């Protein structure tokens, strides 16, 4: 009788560990899909100015990799993609004054590309940008 109880507990523990592993895989799959979409958007809209390595073009287009602007000005970064950007900005202590056109992306596309950018190269952002957050950003 005691042996049956132990076997049942072991089976339950095994089943629970399988379920938790599956949940982790599913959430990783969702993040991977989101980042894949963000990479595609980056490749289509951003790479020509900010380069494949996210380093930008010195004196012309600011870096996105290890960018203090992205880290410290989350809403302004979203606004730049959503509505475009004109005028001076300072990134990593250097001033840039080139225009960025409005990209014409949906709120979901903006969230995806921002999540890709803020988690690429040397960037790490544990607080992912949501579609709801992007929708609240005004000009």
């Amino acid at each position: 009788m005691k042996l049956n109880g132990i076997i049942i507990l072991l089976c339950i523990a095994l089943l629970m560990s399988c379920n938790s592993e599956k949940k982790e895989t599913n959430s990783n799959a969702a993040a991977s899909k989101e980042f894949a979409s963000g990479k595609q958007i980056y490749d289509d809209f951003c790479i020509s100015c900010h380069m494949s390595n996210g380093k930008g073009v010195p004196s012309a287009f600011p870096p996105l990799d290890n960018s203090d602007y992205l880290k410290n000005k989350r809403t302004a970064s979203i606004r730049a993609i959503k509505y475009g950007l004109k005028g001076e900005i300072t990134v990593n202590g250097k001033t840039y004054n080139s225009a960025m056109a409005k990209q014409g992306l949906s709120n979901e596309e903006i969230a995806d590309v921002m999540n890709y950018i803020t988690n690429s190269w040397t960037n790490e952002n544990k607080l992912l940008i949501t579609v709801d957050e992007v929708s609240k950003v005004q000009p």
Side-chain angles (χ1 to χ4, degrees):
M1 188 72 167
K2 191 174 185 179
L3 182 61
N4 285 342
I6 292 172
I7 292 172
I8 290 172
L9 286 175
L10 287 174
C11 288
I12 291 171
L14 180 63
L15 287 172
M16 289 178 71
S17 70
C18 289
N19 282 340
S20 66
E21 192 172 316
K22 186 175 181 183
K23 287 179 187 172
E24 183 177 321
T25 302
N26 286 343
S27 71
N28 287 343
S32 294
K33 182 180 177 189
E34 180 177 288
F35 292 153
S37 171
K39 180 181 182 344
Q40 183 63 52
I41 295 163
Y42 183 85
D43 289 349
D44 290 345
F45 291 87
C46 313
I47 202 167
S48 61
C49 296
H50 298 287
M51 305 292 117
S52 62
N53 60 6
K55 300 286 185 201
V57 176
S59 302
F61 303 109
L64 300 175
D65 180 35
N66 196 30
S67 166
D68 63 351
Y69 192 89
L70 279 174
K71 291 175 191 170
N72 300 323
K73 298 187 177 201
R74 180 176 170 116
T75 301
S77 298
I78 294 168
R79 186 178 295 112
I81 296 171
K82 192 170 182 177
Y83 299 107
L85 179 67
K86 277 199 230 182
E88 288 188 353
I89 62 168
T90 302
V91 180
N92 298 342
K94 294 182 182 174
T95 301
Y96 295 85
N97 192 12
S98 48
M100 180 173 146
K102 177 181 177 180
Q103 301 303 304
L105 300 172
S106 71
N107 290 336
E108 182 176 3
E109 290 170 322
I110 293 168
D112 286 352
V113 77
M114 280 292 296
N115 286 322
Y116 171 75
I117 291 167
T118 60
N119 286 286
S120 291
W121 314 295
T122 61
N123 298 334
E124 185 178 344
N125 176 25
K126 293 183 180 176
L127 182 60
L128 295 180
I129 291 102
T130 65
V131 174
D132 185 55
E133 180 180 1
V134 173
S135 71
K136 292 177 182 174
V137 173
Q138 298 300 314

